[in-house]
Amino acid sequence: MTALTPIPRLSLSLPSLIDRAAMMLSGAKNAAEVLEAREVAGLAYDVAKRAARLSRAKAAHDDLIAAAHRAQADALEIEAAAKRRLADEYDGAQARGEAATRQRNPGSMGHVGDDNMPPATAADLGLRRDQIHEARQLRDAEVAEPGIVRRTLDERLARGEEPTRSAVRRAAEERLQRSLDRLRRSQESVSRLEASRPVPLSPEERARQIAVFGT
């Protein structure tokens, strides 16, 4: 994986950072470029968050704080999209044998292509396990309920609350928990139906039933 391109922190305005992150993500062709887009979106979020806090500290007009919050929300939406794309890229690399899994790790006999190299670990790719887990959660929650990230951000903006990473993460976790609860209830219903199903008739009982009812 190539090294991330340094981001000039002072040479780009906040709107420019957000636009750049969006363009980088839309044009990303591999995991490295997705990571770059995520980094730029994360930087834009941090800049917007500092701007909002500074505005509050200076008792600035509510419109300035709201504008900073909207910028945070836009940056978070791009960052979340990059994370979802990263989950797909990583899972695809695991399926192709390019990234290590529990069954295929650097100490196993699995190799990549003709280079006779072991599959890369998450650490080799500059990722932590918790980051991969969060990316998968965001992706799965968005699949279960399309638009959940943007709606979560918009709801906080409408209430005058700061859009945060923790709010997005919590919304994804709660959505997946609802899916798990629904699946568990369905399984319990099937189990009850199976338990209440009558015992099949024996051949003798079946013959006696035909003799009595004629069918």
Side-chain angles (χ1 to χ4, degrees):
M1 180 172 290
T2 58
L4 298 181
T5 303
I7 304 299
R9 293 179 177 265
L10 299 178
S11 61
L12 293 176
S13 66
L14 181 53
S16 297
L17 278 174
I18 294 174
D19 289 343
R20 177 173 179 177
M23 288 188 295
M24 290 175 68
L25 181 59
S26 64
K29 298 180 176 60
N30 53 51
E33 293 176 353
V34 173
L35 276 173
E36 282 192 283
R38 187 199 64 173
E39 292 296 319
V40 177
L43 174 59
Y45 168 78
D46 293 337
V47 171
K49 188 170 186 175
R50 287 195 295 269
R53 289 180 175 177
L54 183 60
S55 296
R56 284 196 299 269
K58 291 183 176 181
H61 195 279
D62 289 346
D63 288 347
L64 293 178
I65 299 175
H69 283 173
R70 287 194 298 272
Q72 279 182 255
D74 292 342
L76 277 175
E77 183 180 21
I78 299 169
E79 185 181 61
K83 289 176 180 178
R84 297 197 304 271
R85 171 81 180 275
L86 183 62
D88 289 339
E89 293 281 349
Y90 188 80
D91 288 351
Q94 284 188 322
R96 294 189 299 271
E98 299 168 2
T101 64
R102 291 183 178 181
Q103 292 76 30
R104 187 194 304 109
N105 55 60
S108 71
M109 296 301 292
H111 300 300
V112 177
D114 298 326
D115 297 331
N116 205 33
M117 292 291 291
T121 64
D124 293 334
L125 302 175
L127 296 170
R128 301 192 309 271
R129 288 292 176 183
D130 63 304
Q131 291 175 323
I132 298 171
H133 176 69
E134 180 190 4
R136 286 169 171 162
Q137 278 191 322
L138 286 171
R139 177 195 60 193
D140 296 345
E142 190 72 20
V143 170
E145 187 177 328
I148 186 173
V149 171
R150 188 68 236 187
R151 282 195 298 275
T152 298
L153 297 170
D154 287 342
E155 287 170 3
R156 292 186 69 86
L157 291 175
R159 294 192 299 265
E161 299 175 356
E162 179 185 13
T164 61
R165 288 190 179 104
S166 60
V168 172
R169 183 166 55 249
R170 186 164 56 250
E173 291 171 350
E174 291 173 354
R175 181 62 184 84
L176 293 180
Q177 187 59 52
R178 290 197 298 274
S179 295
L180 290 174
D181 291 342
R182 187 179 300 113
L183 176 60
R184 186 182 66 252
R185 289 194 297 270
S186 297
Q187 290 173 334
E188 291 172 352
S189 296
V190 171
S191 297
R192 286 194 296 270
L193 287 173
E194 291 291 338
S196 63
R197 179 177 296 177
V199 178
L201 297 175
S202 67
E204 293 79 8
E205 291 171 329
R206 181 63 177 160
R208 190 158 48 249
Q209 184 185 67
I210 293 174
V212 173
F213 296 106
T215 180

